[in-house]
Amino acid sequence: MRKSLDSGWALAPATADEVPTAVTGPIPATVPGCVHTDLLAAGLIPDPFLDRNETLLGWIGDTTWHYTHTFEWRGAGGHDRVDLVCDGLDTVADLELNGVPIGSTANMHRSYRFDVRDGLRPGDNDLRITFHPAREYARRWERDLGARPNAYGEPFNFIRKMACNFGWDWGPTLVTAGIWQPIGLDLWHTARLRTVRPLATVHNGTGRVEVHADIARAADGPLTLTATIAGRQSRTTTKTDTATVTVDVPDAARWWPRGYGAQPRYDLEVTLTDTSGTTLDTWRRKIGFRDVRLDTAPDETGSPFTVVVNDQPILVRGVNWIPDDVFPTRITRQRLADRLTQAIDANVNLLRVWGGGRYESEDFYDLADEHGLMVTQDFLFACAAYPEEEPFATEVAAEAAEQVVRLSSHPSLIWWCGNNENIWGHEDWGWKPELGDRSWGAGYYHRVLPDIVDNLDPTRPYWPGSPWSGTDDRHPNDPAHGTTHIWDVWNQLDYTHYRDHHPRFVAEFGYQAPPTWATLAAAITDDPPAPDSPGMLHHQKAVDGQRKLQRGLDAHFTPPRDFADWHYLTQVNQARAIALGITHFRTIEPTCTGTIVWQLNDCWPVTSWAAVDGAGRRKPMWHALRRAYADRLLAIDDTTAVLRNETAHPWHATLTVGRSTLDNDVKAGTTHDVTVPPHGRAQVRHGIAPPGDPTTEVLWAEADGADRAWWFYAEDKDMAYPRAAFDATAAHRNGVTTLTVTARTFLRDLTVFPDRLDGTAEPDDALRTLFPGETATFTITAATPLDEDDGALTTRPVLRCVND
């Protein structure tokens, strides 16, 4: 029986005179929560997301904080054991009950349980949790064990805490502390289920679930473990602290990734009973039957990285996932549902949970299970060398074992990954001279973690790192083998150089742009805003980020006239970069069997690589992602058209390819009948000769069931675009605004930004390119209808195209 202690907490600094704010006494604390959110709720600190306020709040993470709670105790009511269960404490904490120490913690990524039965007293009881500064703890271990290199200068690799709390190239430095998961008293007797680990497999149509239970005992004697699923039941009796029971489900319906089949799940109930048949504990979950493997068998071009589910190779259309808020307790199930729906609507089938954040929540995985979104979960190591000495060796093993067991029931979890970029960093980032003979994490990635996965969850594979090439005798980021990260393009080159890469699987690549206008306007008060204004620069965390954005603009466009141009064109560049990269990688399948774009989401308002900004608004990149990940993709270059079919049915298409002037005078054209097999591709040499003047003509292709594909022979800044002319009308009906635009001249990347008028307004499409006479219709939803007679909706800067 669980007695919640989530309500009734108070928060105060350990020494009030060391904090630069008006905390004159304890303030109410929300649990789950953190110090920052409580201070915000009390009006004692400014919004850290606004302007440069983040820089004013560093003291919070350097302060010792007391959480205090008084609760009434009326006895155990027949239970002979009482444990204080802390599902998550962030991070370095000492716990006291009625002034008596009961335990300490130093790991945000695991739960803790303390026996408190002898410390409780009738009536009021006082519980205090003291959180010590995380940075101070990390610096102490850094001094004791010797420094290890990392990408951001903060000592996040010396504490088991969300690394991005210490700042990242897309996130603020807001070092949190607090009770970030539920807390309560667990009352039990005789025995309880310490852990339940269901391992679901399927063979020849029969599903099998092996339920492994670890049992905590307060008394000796036989116990019965029973598992029930799909109307079938199995039980076993044990006199020890472990038990295993197996249930077979004939003709089990398999769980499939979205786009490949349905996602049936079965209710599994596990009970622990004593000799009298009294139920002592119960555990329930939904599980799914599927098998998964990674095909890495060498071939003529290296070694692939192919995800195979239920013996079906899956072309991965993925996005990287970071914590959706700097403060995780603000992330509700509905917010996760919204974000995962945005992924699904962009034709995504896999989310990679990146290793500098957290092991994602039950809500996250339950939603992924429900919707058929595959997930790969990094163990939490990112961009740094990590010590393997104590106390970290024990903490890492305990954390990993707990999380593997916790997530083992979820069919959406496809593979575990050992770390983000650490093996690559050790090889290429100059770590070796600095490290000398000090440990850096290799033992975790190649021994500890694979052993834990193999022992506790052999139903899914493990991969040592992202990137990783499959063996130590290869460069870890070798594009011919395994998984690859491509960052030379963003950091050094124009995005057209994605075409130079022929990887087997791209686990990270991306290109930046600022957030949507409404998100930006709510986050900075620069007057006027500019690429180099203070707020804009503060909300750009990437090294030389603004310079890299400008380099991208210089490669393609004439100089922006103003900030509105800069904002629009950087959005266009990001969208084009991602579309080009995905399209190229999809069209070279089977060489490349998947892409995981960096990144889907943001944790605050920032210029970043995200498709969905920190306020949950879709950037133009999201629309480009949706098109590039479409089930039926048509791509073209100056010699070849490629059709990619990710449906279970053949695609019979009439392919038309044409070269036209900008006023749609067709100069050359060909037609081809094409059949693309299920989950396959077709390639056609279209035979269209190049134009005499590349600045006045474009190449295009059309096929039934796919978006039109374009090829431009020159950069925008060199194209002889006409000055944009169009007719635009807006109409309102049933709470929705419809914007219709008919081109009178060629219009490139026509996009409407209604959030400039109403922050709740969002269009259903973007980046439409039209010949004269063609029409685009945008459907705009908003909390309140937009004014259809307001000319602002149909003019710059709300309605834009590249040649306006």
Side-chain angles (χ1 to χ4, degrees), residues 239-263:
K239 294 183 178 180
T240 68
D241 58 2
T242 62
T244 301
V245 63
T246 300
V247 187
D248 286 338
V249 180
D251 301 318
R254 297 189 185 214
W255 183 97
W256 286 92
R258 62 174 304 272
Y260 290 82
Q263 293 79 43

PDB file of all heavy atoms in Angstrom, residues 239-263:
ATOM      1  N   LYS A 239      10.469 -20.558  -2.643  1.00  0.00           N
ATOM      2  CA  LYS A 239      10.854 -20.293  -1.254  1.00  0.00           C
ATOM      3  C   LYS A 239      12.052 -19.347  -1.199  1.00  0.00           C
ATOM      4  O   LYS A 239      12.582 -19.090  -0.116  1.00  0.00           O
ATOM      5  CB  LYS A 239      11.191 -21.605  -0.556  1.00  0.00           C
ATOM      6  CG  LYS A 239       9.989 -22.542  -0.383  1.00  0.00           C
ATOM      7  CD  LYS A 239      10.369 -23.794   0.391  1.00  0.00           C
ATOM      8  CE  LYS A 239       9.163 -24.700   0.598  1.00  0.00           C
ATOM      9  NZ  LYS A 239       9.516 -25.937   1.354  1.00  0.00           N
ATOM     10  N   THR A 240      12.463 -18.824  -2.363  1.00  0.00           N
ATOM     11  CA  THR A 240      13.615 -17.932  -2.423  1.00  0.00           C
ATOM     12  C   THR A 240      13.135 -16.522  -2.742  1.00  0.00           C
ATOM     13  O   THR A 240      11.946 -16.214  -2.681  1.00  0.00           O
ATOM     14  CB  THR A 240      14.595 -18.408  -3.497  1.00  0.00           C
ATOM     15  OG1 THR A 240      14.010 -18.236  -4.789  1.00  0.00           O
ATOM     16  CG2 THR A 240      14.942 -19.893  -3.297  1.00  0.00           C
ATOM     17  N   ASP A 241      14.082 -15.671  -3.114  1.00  0.00           N
ATOM     18  CA  ASP A 241      13.722 -14.284  -3.419  1.00  0.00           C
ATOM     19  C   ASP A 241      13.665 -14.014  -4.918  1.00  0.00           C
ATOM     20  O   ASP A 241      13.702 -12.876  -5.356  1.00  0.00           O
ATOM     21  CB  ASP A 241      14.676 -13.312  -2.733  1.00  0.00           C
ATOM     22  CG  ASP A 241      16.121 -13.535  -3.112  1.00  0.00           C
ATOM     23  OD1 ASP A 241      16.391 -14.425  -3.952  1.00  0.00           O
ATOM     24  OD2 ASP A 241      16.989 -12.813  -2.595  1.00  0.00           O
ATOM     25  N   THR A 242      13.585 -15.080  -5.711  1.00  0.00           N
ATOM     26  CA  THR A 242      13.365 -14.924  -7.151  1.00  0.00           C
ATOM     27  C   THR A 242      12.355 -15.961  -7.624  1.00  0.00           C
ATOM     28  O   THR A 242      12.183 -17.013  -6.996  1.00  0.00           O
ATOM     29  CB  THR A 242      14.665 -15.103  -7.959  1.00  0.00           C
ATOM     30  OG1 THR A 242      15.154 -16.428  -7.767  1.00  0.00           O
ATOM     31  CG2 THR A 242      15.714 -14.079  -7.542  1.00  0.00           C
ATOM     32  N   ALA A 243      11.705 -15.657  -8.729  1.00  0.00           N
ATOM     33  CA  ALA A 243      10.780 -16.614  -9.336  1.00  0.00           C
ATOM     34  C   ALA A 243      10.602 -16.252 -10.795  1.00  0.00           C
ATOM     35  O   ALA A 243      10.667 -15.074 -11.171  1.00  0.00           O
ATOM     36  CB  ALA A 243       9.433 -16.606  -8.622  1.00  0.00           C
ATOM     37  N   THR A 244      10.373 -17.283 -11.614  1.00  0.00           N
ATOM     38  CA  THR A 244      10.119 -17.074 -13.036  1.00  0.00           C
ATOM     39  C   THR A 244       8.917 -17.912 -13.438  1.00  0.00           C
ATOM     40  O   THR A 244       8.817 -19.080 -13.066  1.00  0.00           O
ATOM     41  CB  THR A 244      11.337 -17.477 -13.887  1.00  0.00           C
ATOM     42  OG1 THR A 244      12.467 -16.712 -13.494  1.00  0.00           O
ATOM     43  CG2 THR A 244      11.059 -17.266 -15.370  1.00  0.00           C
ATOM     44  N   VAL A 245       8.034 -17.292 -14.213  1.00  0.00           N
ATOM     45  CA  VAL A 245       6.857 -17.996 -14.712  1.00  0.00           C
ATOM     46  C   VAL A 245       6.681 -17.640 -16.181  1.00  0.00           C
ATOM     47  O   VAL A 245       6.933 -16.496 -16.595  1.00  0.00           O
ATOM     48  CB  VAL A 245       5.604 -17.643 -13.884  1.00  0.00           C
ATOM     49  CG1 VAL A 245       5.264 -16.175 -13.985  1.00  0.00           C
ATOM     50  CG2 VAL A 245       4.417 -18.494 -14.275  1.00  0.00           C
ATOM     51  N   THR A 246       6.288 -18.621 -16.978  1.00  0.00           N
ATOM     52  CA  THR A 246       6.169 -18.440 -18.422  1.00  0.00           C
ATOM     53  C   THR A 246       4.735 -18.685 -18.866  1.00  0.00           C
ATOM     54  O   THR A 246       4.105 -19.664 -18.440  1.00  0.00           O
ATOM     55  CB  THR A 246       7.115 -19.410 -19.165  1.00  0.00           C
ATOM     56  OG1 THR A 246       8.463 -19.140 -18.759  1.00  0.00           O
ATOM     57  CG2 THR A 246       6.991 -19.238 -20.667  1.00  0.00           C
ATOM     58  N   VAL A 247       4.232 -17.798 -19.719  1.00  0.00           N
ATOM     59  CA  VAL A 247       2.902 -17.954 -20.291  1.00  0.00           C
ATOM     60  C   VAL A 247       3.023 -17.890 -21.810  1.00  0.00           C
ATOM     61  O   VAL A 247       3.637 -16.967 -22.342  1.00  0.00           O
ATOM     62  CB  VAL A 247       1.931 -16.855 -19.809  1.00  0.00           C
ATOM     63  CG1 VAL A 247       0.507 -17.163 -20.290  1.00  0.00           C
ATOM     64  CG2 VAL A 247       1.968 -16.703 -18.299  1.00  0.00           C
ATOM     65  N   ASP A 248       2.430 -18.869 -22.485  1.00  0.00           N
ATOM     66  CA  ASP A 248       2.388 -18.872 -23.942  1.00  0.00           C
ATOM     67  C   ASP A 248       1.029 -18.378 -24.419  1.00  0.00           C
ATOM     68  O   ASP A 248      -0.015 -18.725 -23.843  1.00  0.00           O
ATOM     69  CB  ASP A 248       2.639 -20.278 -24.481  1.00  0.00           C
ATOM     70  CG  ASP A 248       4.092 -20.699 -24.358  1.00  0.00           C
ATOM     71  OD1 ASP A 248       4.954 -19.805 -24.259  1.00  0.00           O
ATOM     72  OD2 ASP A 248       4.364 -21.907 -24.352  1.00  0.00           O
ATOM     73  N   VAL A 249       1.049 -17.578 -25.475  1.00  0.00           N
ATOM     74  CA  VAL A 249      -0.174 -17.052 -26.075  1.00  0.00           C
ATOM     75  C   VAL A 249      -0.204 -17.505 -27.535  1.00  0.00           C
ATOM     76  O   VAL A 249       0.466 -16.928 -28.400  1.00  0.00           O
ATOM     77  CB  VAL A 249      -0.223 -15.511 -25.993  1.00  0.00           C
ATOM     78  CG1 VAL A 249      -1.505 -14.993 -26.635  1.00  0.00           C
ATOM     79  CG2 VAL A 249      -0.108 -15.049 -24.550  1.00  0.00           C
ATOM     80  N   PRO A 250      -0.973 -18.570 -27.838  1.00  0.00           N
ATOM     81  CA  PRO A 250      -1.042 -19.038 -29.228  1.00  0.00           C
ATOM     82  C   PRO A 250      -1.639 -17.965 -30.140  1.00  0.00           C
ATOM     83  O   PRO A 250      -2.483 -17.170 -29.729  1.00  0.00           O
ATOM     84  CB  PRO A 250      -1.965 -20.263 -29.145  1.00  0.00           C
ATOM     85  CG  PRO A 250      -1.934 -20.674 -27.707  1.00  0.00           C
ATOM     86  CD  PRO A 250      -1.749 -19.410 -26.918  1.00  0.00           C
ATOM     87  N   ASP A 251      -1.170 -17.944 -31.371  1.00  0.00           N
ATOM     88  CA  ASP A 251      -1.683 -17.016 -32.377  1.00  0.00           C
ATOM     89  C   ASP A 251      -1.634 -15.567 -31.892  1.00  0.00           C
ATOM     90  O   ASP A 251      -2.560 -14.780 -32.100  1.00  0.00           O
ATOM     91  CB  ASP A 251      -3.118 -17.384 -32.771  1.00  0.00           C
ATOM     92  CG  ASP A 251      -3.218 -18.792 -33.338  1.00  0.00           C
ATOM     93  OD1 ASP A 251      -2.335 -19.170 -34.125  1.00  0.00           O
ATOM     94  OD2 ASP A 251      -4.172 -19.503 -32.973  1.00  0.00           O
ATOM     95  N   ALA A 252      -0.533 -15.225 -31.259  1.00  0.00           N
ATOM     96  CA  ALA A 252      -0.385 -13.854 -30.745  1.00  0.00           C
ATOM     97  C   ALA A 252      -0.285 -12.865 -31.897  1.00  0.00           C
ATOM     98  O   ALA A 252       0.435 -13.085 -32.879  1.00  0.00           O
ATOM     99  CB  ALA A 252       0.857 -13.760 -29.864  1.00  0.00           C
ATOM    100  N   ALA A 253      -1.016 -11.774 -31.770  1.00  0.00           N
ATOM    101  CA  ALA A 253      -0.912 -10.698 -32.751  1.00  0.00           C
ATOM    102  C   ALA A 253       0.364  -9.917 -32.488  1.00  0.00           C
ATOM    103  O   ALA A 253       0.628  -9.504 -31.351  1.00  0.00           O
ATOM    104  CB  ALA A 253      -2.130  -9.785 -32.659  1.00  0.00           C
ATOM    105  N   ARG A 254       1.133  -9.698 -33.524  1.00  0.00           N
ATOM    106  CA  ARG A 254       2.429  -9.043 -33.361  1.00  0.00           C
ATOM    107  C   ARG A 254       2.274  -7.523 -33.327  1.00  0.00           C
ATOM    108  O   ARG A 254       1.437  -6.946 -34.017  1.00  0.00           O
ATOM    109  CB  ARG A 254       3.379  -9.427 -34.483  1.00  0.00           C
ATOM    110  CG  ARG A 254       3.718 -10.910 -34.530  1.00  0.00           C
ATOM    111  CD  ARG A 254       4.831 -11.176 -35.515  1.00  0.00           C
ATOM    112  NE  ARG A 254       5.079 -12.605 -35.654  1.00  0.00           N
ATOM    113  CZ  ARG A 254       6.280 -13.142 -35.875  1.00  0.00           C
ATOM    114  NH1 ARG A 254       7.339 -12.342 -35.970  1.00  0.00           N
ATOM    115  NH2 ARG A 254       6.435 -14.426 -36.010  1.00  0.00           N
ATOM    116  N   TRP A 255       3.161  -6.910 -32.554  1.00  0.00           N
ATOM    117  CA  TRP A 255       3.288  -5.450 -32.522  1.00  0.00           C
ATOM    118  C   TRP A 255       4.222  -5.043 -33.662  1.00  0.00           C
ATOM    119  O   TRP A 255       5.305  -5.607 -33.835  1.00  0.00           O
ATOM    120  CB  TRP A 255       3.858  -5.009 -31.184  1.00  0.00           C
ATOM    121  CG  TRP A 255       3.981  -3.526 -30.998  1.00  0.00           C
ATOM    122  CD1 TRP A 255       3.101  -2.710 -30.362  1.00  0.00           C
ATOM    123  CD2 TRP A 255       5.072  -2.679 -31.422  1.00  0.00           C
ATOM    124  NE1 TRP A 255       3.547  -1.417 -30.365  1.00  0.00           N
ATOM    125  CE2 TRP A 255       4.754  -1.358 -31.013  1.00  0.00           C
ATOM    126  CE3 TRP A 255       6.255  -2.891 -32.104  1.00  0.00           C
ATOM    127  CZ2 TRP A 255       5.603  -0.285 -31.260  1.00  0.00           C
ATOM    128  CZ3 TRP A 255       7.097  -1.822 -32.372  1.00  0.00           C
ATOM    129  CH2 TRP A 255       6.766  -0.534 -31.942  1.00  0.00           C
ATOM    130  N   TRP A 256       3.787  -4.016 -34.420  1.00  0.00           N
ATOM    131  CA  TRP A 256       4.575  -3.560 -35.569  1.00  0.00           C
ATOM    132  C   TRP A 256       4.899  -2.071 -35.435  1.00  0.00           C
ATOM    133  O   TRP A 256       4.105  -1.315 -34.867  1.00  0.00           O
ATOM    134  CB  TRP A 256       3.793  -3.747 -36.861  1.00  0.00           C
ATOM    135  CG  TRP A 256       3.702  -5.170 -37.317  1.00  0.00           C
ATOM    136  CD1 TRP A 256       2.704  -6.056 -37.020  1.00  0.00           C
ATOM    137  CD2 TRP A 256       4.644  -5.871 -38.138  1.00  0.00           C
ATOM    138  NE1 TRP A 256       2.963  -7.261 -37.609  1.00  0.00           N
ATOM    139  CE2 TRP A 256       4.145  -7.173 -38.310  1.00  0.00           C
ATOM    140  CE3 TRP A 256       5.843  -5.514 -38.754  1.00  0.00           C
ATOM    141  CZ2 TRP A 256       4.813  -8.137 -39.068  1.00  0.00           C
ATOM    142  CZ3 TRP A 256       6.507  -6.464 -39.505  1.00  0.00           C
ATOM    143  CH2 TRP A 256       5.996  -7.764 -39.662  1.00  0.00           C
ATOM    144  N   PRO A 257       6.017  -1.640 -35.992  1.00  0.00           N
ATOM    145  CA  PRO A 257       6.242  -0.193 -36.126  1.00  0.00           C
ATOM    146  C   PRO A 257       5.169   0.414 -37.009  1.00  0.00           C
ATOM    147  O   PRO A 257       4.642  -0.244 -37.918  1.00  0.00           O
ATOM    148  CB  PRO A 257       7.628  -0.114 -36.783  1.00  0.00           C
ATOM    149  CG  PRO A 257       8.269  -1.439 -36.534  1.00  0.00           C
ATOM    150  CD  PRO A 257       7.149  -2.433 -36.489  1.00  0.00           C
ATOM    151  N   ARG A 258       4.872   1.681 -36.771  1.00  0.00           N
ATOM    152  CA  ARG A 258       3.844   2.354 -37.569  1.00  0.00           C
ATOM    153  C   ARG A 258       4.231   2.318 -39.052  1.00  0.00           C
ATOM    154  O   ARG A 258       5.397   2.453 -39.429  1.00  0.00           O
ATOM    155  CB  ARG A 258       3.632   3.786 -37.095  1.00  0.00           C
ATOM    156  CG  ARG A 258       4.824   4.713 -37.211  1.00  0.00           C
ATOM    157  CD  ARG A 258       4.449   6.144 -36.835  1.00  0.00           C
ATOM    158  NE  ARG A 258       3.351   6.622 -37.640  1.00  0.00           N
ATOM    159  CZ  ARG A 258       3.499   7.222 -38.819  1.00  0.00           C
ATOM    160  NH1 ARG A 258       4.719   7.388 -39.316  1.00  0.00           N
ATOM    161  NH2 ARG A 258       2.457   7.634 -39.501  1.00  0.00           N
ATOM    162  N   GLY A 259       3.203   2.074 -39.859  1.00  0.00           N
ATOM    163  CA  GLY A 259       3.424   1.945 -41.289  1.00  0.00           C
ATOM    164  C   GLY A 259       3.649   0.523 -41.748  1.00  0.00           C
ATOM    165  O   GLY A 259       3.630   0.256 -42.956  1.00  0.00           O
ATOM    166  N   TYR A 260       3.854  -0.403 -40.808  1.00  0.00           N
ATOM    167  CA  TYR A 260       4.119  -1.794 -41.172  1.00  0.00           C
ATOM    168  C   TYR A 260       3.068  -2.762 -40.628  1.00  0.00           C
ATOM    169  O   TYR A 260       3.111  -3.953 -40.908  1.00  0.00           O
ATOM    170  CB  TYR A 260       5.498  -2.216 -40.673  1.00  0.00           C
ATOM    171  CG  TYR A 260       6.624  -1.548 -41.422  1.00  0.00           C
ATOM    172  CD1 TYR A 260       7.037  -0.259 -41.090  1.00  0.00           C
ATOM    173  CD2 TYR A 260       7.265  -2.184 -42.483  1.00  0.00           C
ATOM    174  CE1 TYR A 260       8.059   0.375 -41.786  1.00  0.00           C
ATOM    175  CE2 TYR A 260       8.280  -1.562 -43.178  1.00  0.00           C
ATOM    176  CZ  TYR A 260       8.678  -0.282 -42.827  1.00  0.00           C
ATOM    177  OH  TYR A 260       9.689   0.335 -43.521  1.00  0.00           O
ATOM    178  N   GLY A 261       2.154  -2.266 -39.843  1.00  0.00           N
ATOM    179  CA  GLY A 261       1.125  -3.110 -39.262  1.00  0.00           C
ATOM    180  C   GLY A 261       0.537  -2.449 -38.028  1.00  0.00           C
ATOM    181  O   GLY A 261       0.824  -1.286 -37.713  1.00  0.00           O
ATOM    182  N   ALA A 262      -0.280  -3.206 -37.313  1.00  0.00           N
ATOM    183  CA  ALA A 262      -0.975  -2.688 -36.131  1.00  0.00           C
ATOM    184  C   ALA A 262      -0.101  -2.813 -34.891  1.00  0.00           C
ATOM    185  O   ALA A 262       0.979  -3.406 -34.916  1.00  0.00           O
ATOM    186  CB  ALA A 262      -2.290  -3.434 -35.938  1.00  0.00           C
ATOM    187  N   GLN A 263      -0.585  -2.234 -33.809  1.00  0.00           N
ATOM    188  CA  GLN A 263       0.157  -2.224 -32.541  1.00  0.00           C
ATOM    189  C   GLN A 263      -0.672  -2.857 -31.420  1.00  0.00           C
ATOM    190  O   GLN A 263      -0.984  -2.223 -30.406  1.00  0.00           O
ATOM    191  CB  GLN A 263       0.548  -0.797 -32.142  1.00  0.00           C
ATOM    192  CG  GLN A 263       1.558  -0.148 -33.061  1.00  0.00           C
ATOM    193  CD  GLN A 263       0.947   0.390 -34.329  1.00  0.00           C
ATOM    194  OE1 GLN A 263      -0.121   1.001 -34.305  1.00  0.00           O
ATOM    195  NE2 GLN A 263       1.584   0.152 -35.472  1.00  0.00           N
TER     196      GLN A 263
END
